[in-house]
Amino acid sequence: MDLAGRTANMNVSAIREILKVVSRPGVISLAGGIPAPESFPMATIETLVPAVLERYGSKALQYDLTEGFPPLREALVGLLAGRNVAATADDVLIASGSQGVLDGIGKVLIDPGDLIAVEAPTYLGAIQAFSPYQPSYVEIATDDDGVIPESLDEVLTHNSVKLVYMVPTFQNPTGRTIPLDRRERIAEIIERHGVLLVEDDPYGELRFRGERVPPIASLAPDHVVYMSTLSKVFAPGLRIGFTVAPKKLRDWLVIAKQGVDLHTSTFNQALAAEYVSSGALRDQVPRIVNLYRPKQEHMMRALAEDLPEGFRWSRPDGGMFVWVEGPDAMDIDVVYKEAVERGAAFVPGKYFFTNPDRGHQTMRLNFTTATPDQLSEAIGTIGSVIEAQLGL
Ligand SMILES: Cc1ncc(COP(=O)(O)O)c(C=O)c1O
């Protein structure tokens, strides 16, 4: 059997492989990127299921439009308006997770050799979705406030970039959020260069403190594909993602999706429509925030107590991740192996860079699934493994 040439670009997700290893009993995993199961609104779902059957009957089980189940597209208009993203129901497309949007974007926009500008570090799943279409990547420099606008301007000035991909709010993997003044500069830069920005926003609702920042899509609507998901605020297994894209792209995303899955699960979309339109989502978000905020604060304290001098880490106001940067002398492969051996797992940060030379002293820590005691124990273990590796 001869595989298509493009399969050479389809890497197995390093993180999924790590997750298989660390899901064994006895290991406390800060490696995952999944919501806490306690964040799922189980009791609400028990009432939503009969409500969906009552309201939509067999329609909820029938084939439906590729664009998405109309009541869900309607319901998302209000949600988007609350985020300053102006859209009509016709502008909203539903996909099977935001990963489904990323795949569609790759399919309809990327030719072999096209250049994609990404944050360094960036979300690995986007790279996985885009890479089969054989693009090259150019990295945009970041600091504690995320993308540095001057770096974006320079990248766009010196390269012919097909699209820019960013996670501006509570980024995966760093947890960083780009502040408003930088967003305004980024909007001006992408407009001036006439480039398309793919703005991926799965975490924006999970704000623990501080003021909301509007999506870049609200500042440069004609140049941004905005995408989001219900995975972190409802249940990821339902696979409900959505996007608002410029019309031409939207039309092609629909055509591409017809060939992939015809449409996203009608029943799950109907459940999501009820969840959003009934106000259950609005009520659930503060519960999720109240579940995650103390865990994140606990992680901050544990890092301050247990990591030796020379380490720094992000202090996110929301989301699911903290990013740790260590000194040059740290050998992350040794630390990772030893930490897993001793029952504490994380994701080495190098996997989130498109440049294989970058990120060797970094790690991504997730705080949503472990209990506070487990967070203390895992970070204590990681800290002592690091001390031993650095000879402290
Ligand atoms: C930045 C980012 N984009 C997209 C996704 C995919 O989410 P889903 O396909 O469940 O909507 C994730 C999941 O972790 C993510 O972190």
Side-chain angles (χ1 to χ4, degrees):
M1 179 179 48
D2 290 330
L3 296 175
R6 85 180 74 83
T7 58
N9 298 62
M10 293 183 190
N11 294 323
V12 178
S13 161
I15 295 178
R16 289 198 172 268
E17 291 306 298
I18 285 179
L19 293 181
K20 275 190 212 159
V21 176
V22 303
S23 61
R24 59 168 203 250
V27 176
I28 302 170
S29 178
L30 312 183
I34 62 175
E38 317 88 271
S39 76
F40 303 158
M42 299 305 283
T44 306
I45 291 172
E46 276 180 31
T47 63
L48 288 183
V49 170
V52 160
L53 293 173
E54 167 97 2
R55 177 165 304 197
Y56 302 110
S58 59
K59 261 197 172 152
L61 301 162
Q62 186 55 282
Y63 283 120
D64 202 69
L65 299 177
T66 304
E67 287 84 345
F69 190 58
L72 176 58
R73 297 169 80 199
E74 245 353 295
L76 289 172
V77 168
L79 182 88
L80 287 159
R83 300 180 189 176
N84 287 4
V85 178
T88 65
D90 284 345
D91 298 333
V92 182
L93 293 186
I94 310 299
S96 300
S98 42
Q99 198 67 29
V101 182
L102 291 170
D103 176 65
I105 286 170
K107 201 166 266 165
V108 304
L109 284 181
I110 302 174
D111 275 327
D114 278 348
L115 199 55
I116 301 183
V118 295
E119 294 157 300
T122 188
Y123 169 56
L124 195 76
I127 302 299
Q128 233 196 339
F130 298 154
S131 288
Y133 305 101
Q134 302 170 10
S136 303
Y137 298 97
V138 55
E139 292 189 332
I140 313 161
T142 61
D143 62 14
D144 291 348
D145 285 335
V147 161
I148 302 172
E150 291 71 24
S151 170
L152 174 66
D153 201 5
E154 203 177 300
V155 162
L156 295 179
T157 301
H158 296 297
N159 302 279
S160 173
V161 167
K162 182 70 171 269
L163 60 91
V164 180
Y165 170 75
M166 283 183 201
V167 185
T169 309
F170 310 136
Q171 197 228 17
N172 182 0
T174 61
R176 291 169 183 153
T177 293
I178 304 175
L180 180 58
D181 61 330
R182 280 198 181 184
R183 289 178 191 233
E184 287 167 348
R185 279 152 68 202
I186 291 167
E188 183 275 314
I189 291 165
I190 57 169
E191 280 176 341
R192 175 155 47 81
H193 288 276
V195 74
L196 186 71
L197 168 68
V198 176
E199 179 173 25
D200 189 359
D201 184 21
Y203 302 107
E205 300 280 341
L206 302 181
R207 176 171 281 284
F208 310 150
R209 62 190 81 84
E211 292 284 307
R212 262 178 189 256
V213 202
I216 299 170
S218 67
L219 306 170
D222 296 338
H223 289 82
V224 178
V225 184
Y226 178 80
M227 50 189 280
S228 186
T229 177
L230 297 185
S231 286
K232 321 295 172 177
V233 289
F234 190 15
L238 296 172
R239 311 303 303 127
I240 305 289
F242 51 98
T243 185
V244 178
K247 166 111 180 53
K248 183 173 167 193
L249 177 57
R250 208 162 71 226
D251 292 347
W252 279 103
L253 287 174
V254 172
I255 293 166
K257 186 171 168 64
Q258 277 166 3
V260 175
D261 58 3
L262 299 180
H263 62 79
T264 295
S265 155
T266 316
F267 188 81
N268 293 356
Q269 289 188 73
L271 264 186
E274 290 300 296
Y275 182 64
V276 178
S277 64
S278 67
L281 167 72
R282 193 194 50 229
D283 296 344
Q284 185 66 8
V285 167
R287 293 191 196 115
I288 303 174
V289 165
N290 287 336
L291 179 67
Y292 292 168
R293 189 198 298 107
K295 294 189 189 218
Q296 188 257 356
E297 289 169 355
H298 197 87
M299 180 174 269
M300 292 289 108
R301 283 193 295 275
L303 289 170
E305 276 163 26
D306 293 328
L307 290 194
E309 239 168 74
F311 277 75
R312 55 202 298 277
W313 50 90
S314 58
R315 292 174 159 71
D317 288 326
M320 299 184 13
F321 305 106
V322 172
W323 182 250
V324 177
E325 293 168 328
D328 286 350
M330 178 169 73
D331 184 331
I332 196 71
D333 293 320
V334 171
V335 170
Y336 172 72
K337 226 171 136 237
E338 183 63 22
V340 172
E341 245 353 84
R342 291 180 47 186
F346 59 88
V347 181
K350 62 182 179 181
Y351 295 118
F352 300 98
F353 290 83
T354 52
N355 177 344
D357 299 332
R358 301 280 314 277
H360 282 268
Q361 283 74 38
T362 60
M363 45 187 154
R364 187 191 75 175
L365 305 180
N366 164 271
F367 51 78
T368 55
T369 47
T371 63
D373 283 352
Q374 289 174 324
L375 287 170
S376 295
E377 192 181 329
I379 291 171
T381 302
I382 294 168
S384 65
V385 169
I386 286 172
E387 282 180 1
Q389 193 266 314
L390 291 176
L392 298 174

